[in-house]
Amino acid sequence: MSCSPKKDPEDLAVVPVTADSLEEVVDSVANVREDGTATASTPPLDVKQQLPAELEVHLDRTHGLWQLPVLTDQDIQRVPPEEQGPYYLEADFNGDRQKDYAIQLLERDSAFVYAFIKEKDDFKEYLLERHQLFDIAGKQRSIRYLTLAKKNGKYYDYTTRKSMTIPQDGISVGAENYTATYVWEKSGFRKFETGD
């Protein structure tokens, strides 16, 4: 038994869909032009930065109301367009031939950098850094950005004052005058100061 009113076929108008009508979608709540896509977090501007579905599902389940941070234009431009970053990275960080992730999230009043290492059907989470946000141009912003430290890449560790070659992909967290690189060793990440 149905509760909906019966419609006569002549009451239902068929409106043809044209390319022009698809270009402009109106948000019925705000009554402004929108692209028709609603997102829970602030999406990156670059299409390559769209988070993988399995990572987004994990974040929704484990981090509740997470968001991507607002970065300065200068920090976004520090990552060349052909490279990964500045919001998240995907690579095999621990050498087990599974896809792992690193991401910078905005939670509460801080920016956090996490690594998610694939284990069976889920991820093991590692907190790499936590930083305060800075008021820049009236917005709370992170001054950190992520880049991929490439396997077999040569780096200089400013702490030990020695050159090194990393055995697998790592996570570099940069700021204006500082870079820390996290490399997997045995059962966790080791931090190297690789730039200033």
Side-chain angles (χ1 to χ4, degrees), residues 47-195:
V47 173
K48 73 176 181 160
Q49 294 296 334
Q50 297 305 311
L51 299 182
E54 69 174 341
L55 177 59
E56 204 164 325
V57 167
H58 180 80
L59 291 173
D60 289 343
R61 186 170 42 87
T62 59
H63 287 265
L65 300 174
W66 63 274
Q67 295 180 25
L68 295 174
V70 176
L71 303 178
T72 66
D73 291 341
Q74 293 83 3
D75 289 334
I76 291 172
Q77 292 170 2
R78 292 177 198 275
V79 181
E82 67 277 4
E83 292 187 17
Q84 292 190 50
Y87 298 99
Y88 91 99
L89 307 170
E90 60 181 65
D92 177 11
F93 296 126
N94 65 345
D96 66 355
R97 297 183 181 168
Q98 294 192 72
K99 194 178 289 186
D100 306 313
Y101 301 102
I103 189 167
Q104 181 179 190
L105 298 178
L106 179 66
E107 294 180 292
R108 298 175 299 278
D109 61 348
S110 301
F112 295 81
V113 177
Y114 293 100
F116 297 97
I117 301 299
K118 186 76 167 177
E119 288 189 348
K120 296 182 182 175
D121 295 331
D122 205 6
F123 294 99
K124 186 166 183 183
E125 184 175 306
Y126 295 84
L127 174 61
L128 302 179
E129 297 188 4
R130 176 185 181 180
H131 299 284
Q132 71 179 24
L133 300 174
F134 292 89
D135 190 299
I136 301 172
K139 290 186 179 180
Q140 293 292 308
R141 297 177 184 259
S142 171
I143 61 167
R144 300 290 195 268
Y145 56 93
L146 303 182
T147 57
L148 185 65
K150 295 180 181 166
K151 179 179 180 176
N152 298 323
K154 297 190 184 309
Y155 293 87
Y156 183 80
D157 181 10
Y158 284 87
T159 303
T160 63
R161 295 195 167 123
K162 293 182 181 177
S163 293
M164 63 178 191
T165 301
I166 61 173
Q168 62 266 340
D169 289 335
I171 302 158
S172 287
V173 182
E176 186 174 343
N177 294 313
Y178 176 78
T179 303
T181 299
Y182 295 85
V183 180
W184 185 265
E185 285 190 358
K186 296 182 184 173
S187 60
F189 285 93
R190 182 172 173 199
K191 179 181 178 180
F192 297 94
E193 293 186 10
T194 54

